[in-house]
Amino acid sequence: MTKEALPPRQLASDKLDSGVPHSARIWNYWMGGKDNFAADRAAGDAYLQQFPGIVPLARQSRQFLIRAVGHLATEKGIRNFLDIGTGLPTLDNTHQVAQRAAPESRVVYVDNDPLVLAHARALLGNTTPEGVTDYVDADLHEPDQIIADARNILNFTQPIAVMFMGVLGHVADFDEVRSIVSRVMDAVPSGSYLILWDSTNTSEGFDEAQQGYDDTGAVPYVLRSPAQIEQCFDGLTMLEPGVVSISRWRAEDADAEPVDGYGGVAQKP
């Protein structure tokens, strides 16, 4: 968890264990969902005590998704969406936002988390008759396999919106982060878009809370700088307002309280 610091979603394959805190379920808890267990709530509350800003970040991440996907579907005519590291289904998932604007939209979700896969049926059950929604069991670290599977579902003769929604912090090496993003973007057509956000090291409390979570032996998450997030868009044409706190990306309130997650949307030339 997503896509979505403990914030995003856990993408490593592991056995489902309700007694061990799981990042996807904790993220679900912070967003007000019900797909979590006592161990997840306890871990989430402990994190929250150290960094109360995690709940606004979690909820603003979904608002960013809604605005970004809605903008591309409504204003840019995008009909293909590749959501890599989708996490647990919750309110206003990518296919719901896209198909509400354009019922014929095709959406592919990518994850390899056993918990997320167990919920895939619920995620896919409410696609529109005109559209396509499918799920690919693939690892974030294997972008070539993701593209190969997505070609079976999406129309690669048309622009595609590639989405990394708060998941790249699960990749420890920043050079690998940039490689993953560039390999996927190299494979999609000209005119495609990248929607990307990640949690940032812009608050001391966030760093401390995340380190405490990582020390439990859970899958770690790297908080990166806004400048590093910006580097993920190298070679692309940024949409206004560029890379900003996600609470302020094309929000009705331009002065909305910033959260410790930065992102943006950019187009491939």
Side-chain angles (χ1 to χ4, degrees), residues 61-105:
S61 71
R62 184 49 48 122
Q63 295 305 310
F64 173 65
L65 182 152
I66 292 169
R67 294 195 300 273
V69 170
H71 176 73
L72 294 189
T74 303
E75 303 297 328
K76 303 298 184 180
I78 299 299
R79 298 295 180 263
N80 294 274
F81 295 83
L82 179 58
D83 187 343
I84 300 174
T86 179
L88 289 172
T90 184
L91 177 69
D92 277 333
N93 302 287
T94 298
H95 73 285
Q96 293 166 315
V97 177
Q99 292 173 357
R100 190 159 59 229
E104 70 274 22
S105 296

Side-chain angles (χ1 to χ4, degrees), residues 64-249:
F64 173 65
L65 182 152
I66 292 169
R67 294 195 300 273
V69 170
H71 176 73
L72 294 189
T74 303
E75 303 297 328
K76 303 298 184 180
I78 299 299
R79 298 295 180 263
N80 294 274
F81 295 83
L82 179 58
D83 187 343
I84 300 174
T86 179
L88 289 172
T90 184
L91 177 69
D92 277 333
N93 302 287
T94 298
H95 73 285
Q96 293 166 315
V97 177
Q99 292 173 357
R100 190 159 59 229
E104 70 274 22
S105 296
R106 306 174 75 89
V107 178
V108 170
Y109 292 107
V110 180
D111 214 311
N112 75 331
D113 188 302
L115 176 67
V116 174
L117 295 175
H119 286 76
R121 180 168 299 185
L123 191 66
L124 304 180
N126 53 4
T127 190
T128 59
E130 305 95 325
V132 174
T133 307
D134 211 337
Y135 211 101
V136 169
D137 179 4
D139 193 302
L140 171 67
H141 298 82
E142 300 175 351
D144 297 336
Q145 184 62 52
I146 290 172
I147 291 296
D149 290 338
R151 286 187 184 279
N152 296 323
I153 305 158
L154 301 179
N155 185 348
F156 272 68
T157 68
Q158 298 177 352
I160 294 169
V162 174
M163 303 168 60
F164 292 97
M165 306 300 279
V167 297
L168 290 169
H170 288 297
V171 180
D173 183 76
F174 184 59
D175 287 339
E176 185 180 4
V177 167
R178 297 188 66 185
S179 174
I180 289 169
V181 173
S182 64
R183 285 161 68 185
V184 175
M185 294 308 296
D186 284 348
V188 296
S190 175
S192 293
Y193 288 85
L194 172 63
I195 308 175
L196 182 151
W197 79 270
D198 238 20
S199 298
T200 50
N201 57 2
T202 43
S203 169
E204 183 177 345
F206 202 173
D207 283 324
E208 293 174 356
Q210 187 58 45
Q211 186 59 56
Y213 178 79
D214 293 346
D215 289 344
T216 67
V219 175
Y221 186 94
V222 179
L223 299 177
R224 295 193 162 96
S225 68
Q228 288 176 306
I229 304 299
E230 196 164 354
Q231 288 179 49
C232 294
F233 294 95
D234 284 354
L236 306 177
T237 303
M238 293 297 308
L239 271 60
E240 293 293 338
V243 173
V244 295
S245 175
I246 54 175
S247 60
R248 293 182 171 180
W249 192 89

Side-chain angles (χ1 to χ4, degrees), residues 17 20 22-29 35-37 40 115:
D17 185 346
V20 176
H22 185 291
S23 63
R25 295 193 303 250
I26 297 170
W27 191 254
N28 177 268
Y29 171 54
D35 294 311
N36 48 75
F37 298 108
D40 309 305
L115 176 67

